[in-house]
Amino acid sequence: MEKIKMTTPLVEMDGDEMTRILWKMIKEQLLAPFVDLKTEYYDLGLACRNETNDQVTVDSANATKKYGVAVKCATITPNAARVEEYDLKEMWKSPNGTIRAILDGTVFRTPIKVKGIEPCVKNWKKPITIARHAYGDVYKNVEIKIPGAGKAELVFTAADGTKTKETIFEFEGSGVVQGQHNVDASIESFARSCFNYALDIKQDLWFATKDTISKKYDHTFKDIFQEIYDAEYKERFEKAGITYFYTLIDDAVARVMKSAGGFIWACKNYDGDVMSDMISSACGSLAMMTSVLVSPEGYYEYEAAHGTVQRHYYNHLKGEETSTNSVATIFAWTGALRKRGELDGLADLQQFADNLEKACVETIESGRMTKDLALITDLEHPTVLSSEGFIRAIREQLQKKYE
Ligand code: NAP
Ligand code: MG
């Protein structure tokens, strides 16, 4: 067949360990034979980040601003052990953190549904996407342990010196106190990323806080979402046939459990931290979870939700056969290629992304899968494949669609 053409390059961010091995196999086996792949390559592997003093990460994020769409492999976030293992000049920051700081986006995580790997919650017929606000609240708090009796106060000193003061509590004995903050600009860009993504995938958007109790803090989140929705998105939502729905967080949890899924659930930072782990574990495996960073300006960076699968990599280095699931990494590529196809008006590229995703799902549904899925599937007698064997099986399934 003639290869599918691309017009604008994808920003390709290579990564580390087992996912770097999968990355190469996916490109060679599943992409290059079908697509005349155009990418601008950035090596975010730890060795290259160290060599370039992490400039390569910054460059890759800036390239994403230039081209609009990136696909990222999982990368090591260095800790003390990694500094030694890779002889690092410094304990470089998390690449995801650096990229997010430059693109200022929100991360959307969605489980990949296949028959035979069913969520624990039986009525979840469609995936639920979690959007987590990634700034402030308890993650940037200040805390004091109160030793004994005394008064705790909340004081704001304006630039002109004016003070606003509230008593938090008159302590009679020991206790604790905490201060949290957020900024309107960050809440606004969170809201815009959520509204944009809902329009993009044509699903309803839910948002919830505890505004009845937190009448200023949480209420600000509620108000900002509503103001931006009314001013900028209401008409577009109506046209797309989707809705924006706000409720209290406890009501949202109750409704989510009883829902059929198929919507985006926007969460404040803490709620998103907790609820995304609930959704992903209820759906089986981190290796079946996609993740996309969407900036308020409409830049997209696609990746897998899991890490570099270090344990499997060490087995691979010892020459042992691995059975690492490549689905989330493949879906990072299909997400990016589909978006590129949409932006550039390339129907056959979008079709290819659909076909490759279908090939993954059909392979698993036919009983051929990696070990992590074989352990949780309802299918009887699954065939456990190696990392490479699984990709080869997907290749055969994909090939059939182009014969
Ligand atoms: P991990 O790579 O997600 O793996 C944790 C465990 O989950 C694995 O040992 C494996 O379990 C299972 N697993 C994850 N992905 C799998 C897959 N595709 N197929 C099969 N099993 C899979 O997390 P980690 O071991 O905590 O972190 C390793 C490195 O990844 C760290 O250096 C961390 O900094 C980095 N990380 C990067 C990102 C990112 O780039 N977005 C995210 C998280 C972590 P079994 O061992 O039981 O088989
Ligand atoms: Mg967490």
Side-chain angles (χ1 to χ4, degrees):
M1 77 177 253
E2 201 183 327
K3 287 194 192 181
I4 297 160
K5 292 267 179 303
M6 291 180 66
T7 47
T8 316
L10 276 180
V11 177
E12 176 185 352
M13 304 168 173
D14 206 347
D16 289 300
E17 300 195 312
M18 201 59 214
T19 41
R20 189 180 179 98
I21 310 273
L22 298 178
W23 194 260
K24 189 160 176 279
M25 290 186 209
I26 291 167
K27 283 179 69 178
E28 286 175 1
Q29 297 265 345
L30 300 177
L31 304 176
F34 303 91
V35 179
D36 193 9
L37 204 59
K38 251 188 197 236
T39 73
E40 192 164 292
Y41 181 86
Y42 293 86
D43 185 358
L44 267 52
L46 190 48
C48 181
R49 277 183 274 149
N50 191 51
E51 257 162 50
T52 62
N53 298 325
D54 211 19
Q55 185 60 38
V56 65
T57 308
V58 175
D59 292 346
S60 72
N62 286 327
T64 306
K65 281 187 161 177
K66 179 173 168 196
Y67 293 113
V69 187
V71 55
K72 181 179 171 292
C73 180
T75 47
I76 292 169
T77 297
N79 54 18
R82 300 298 200 164
V83 171
E84 203 170 307
E85 183 183 354
Y86 285 81
D87 192 19
L88 299 181
K89 296 184 229 171
E90 257 183 56
M91 199 186 291
W92 306 109
K93 285 193 202 135
S94 147
N96 285 19
T98 303
I99 294 166
R100 199 176 307 154
I102 294 172
L103 299 181
D104 173 31
T106 299
V107 173
F108 296 82
R109 293 197 155 180
T110 312
I112 299 163
K113 273 208 60 117
V114 295
K115 286 195 206 89
I117 318 279
E118 303 300 338
C120 310
V121 183
K122 288 194 212 81
N123 45 285
W124 287 356
K125 299 296 176 209
K126 291 183 197 155
I128 296 169
T129 297
I130 292 270
R132 174 183 170 189
H133 185 213
Y135 179 82
D137 303 351
V138 74
Y139 302 86
K140 287 239 185 271
N141 72 353
V142 234
E143 306 180 321
I144 304 175
K145 254 179 112 57
I146 304 294
K151 181 160 72 167
E153 291 177 305
L154 201 55
V155 184
F156 169 71
T157 312
D160 69 2
T162 327
K163 288 192 192 307
T164 315
K165 211 187 285 184
E166 289 281 346
T167 300
I168 298 172
F169 193 64
E170 307 246 11
F171 285 91
E172 284 174 7
S174 57
V176 281
V177 68
Q178 179 186 70
Q180 293 187 25
H181 82 278
N182 222 299
V183 290
D184 288 359
S186 173
I187 303 168
E188 286 162 10
S189 61
F190 173 48
R192 287 199 177 89
S193 295
C194 291
F195 291 131
N196 285 340
Y197 195 62
L199 284 170
D200 196 29
I201 65 169
K202 297 207 170 38
Q203 286 190 358
D204 293 346
L205 177 69
W206 294 20
F207 181 46
T209 72
K210 196 69 182 174
D211 66 282
T212 46
I213 299 298
S214 173
K215 290 192 165 60
K216 295 206 172 99
Y217 198 104
D218 277 18
H219 218 291
T220 298
F221 280 78
K222 177 184 179 183
D223 292 344
I224 287 177
F225 265 69
Q226 195 62 50
E227 282 157 22
I228 291 180
Y229 176 71
D230 291 339
E232 302 170 29
Y233 292 94
K234 195 166 189 291
E235 277 175 31
R236 282 191 274 164
F237 265 54
E238 283 166 4
K239 224 175 174 179
I242 57 174
T243 55
Y244 167 58
F245 171 61
Y246 177 87
T247 186
L248 286 170
I249 184 70
D250 39 354
D251 181 46
V253 168
R255 285 171 187 260
V256 163
M257 295 314 284
K258 292 188 172 157
S259 77
F263 55 88
I264 302 165
W265 184 11
C267 292
K268 285 181 64 201
N269 210 349
Y270 175 84
D271 300 336
D273 186 351
V274 176
M275 294 308 169
S276 67
D277 280 12
M278 181 191 76
I279 302 274
S280 65
S281 57
C283 293
S285 163
L286 258 196
M288 295 296 283
M289 185 81 138
T290 63
S291 183
V292 56
L293 175 73
V294 180
S295 86
E297 290 87 11
Y299 310 126
Y300 293 78
E301 184 235 301
Y302 294 83
E303 63 172 340
H306 59 78
T308 60
V309 212
Q310 180 180 17
R311 195 183 69 78
H312 296 204
Y313 180 59
Y314 288 159
N315 291 341
H316 168 82
L317 289 182
K318 279 189 273 177
E320 291 168 19
E321 191 173 78
T322 57
S323 181
T324 315
N325 187 338
S326 46
V327 169
T329 306
I330 296 170
F331 273 59
W333 276 99
T334 53
L337 289 169
R338 183 183 296 107
K339 177 52 74 181
R340 199 62 273 168
E342 247 173 71
L343 294 174
D344 297 344
L346 304 171
D348 49 354
L349 192 59
Q350 295 177 56
Q351 182 70 52
F352 172 76
D354 292 348
N355 283 340
L356 178 48
E357 289 182 359
K358 275 193 208 122
C360 292
V361 170
E362 288 163 2
T363 302
I364 298 168
E365 290 179 349
S366 74
R368 295 167 296 166
M369 60 191 78
T370 44
K371 194 174 163 194
D372 57 316
L373 298 182
L375 289 171
I376 58 171
T377 185
D378 312 331
L379 296 177
E380 278 175 33
H381 315 301
T383 307
V384 178
L385 298 175
S386 66
S387 307
E388 201 173 3
F390 181 58
I391 289 175
R392 266 202 310 274
I394 296 169
R395 163 79 185 267
E396 282 163 22
Q397 198 70 27
L398 178 61
Q399 193 79 46
K400 287 185 203 158
K401 299 182 192 300
Y402 287 96
E403 274 163 4

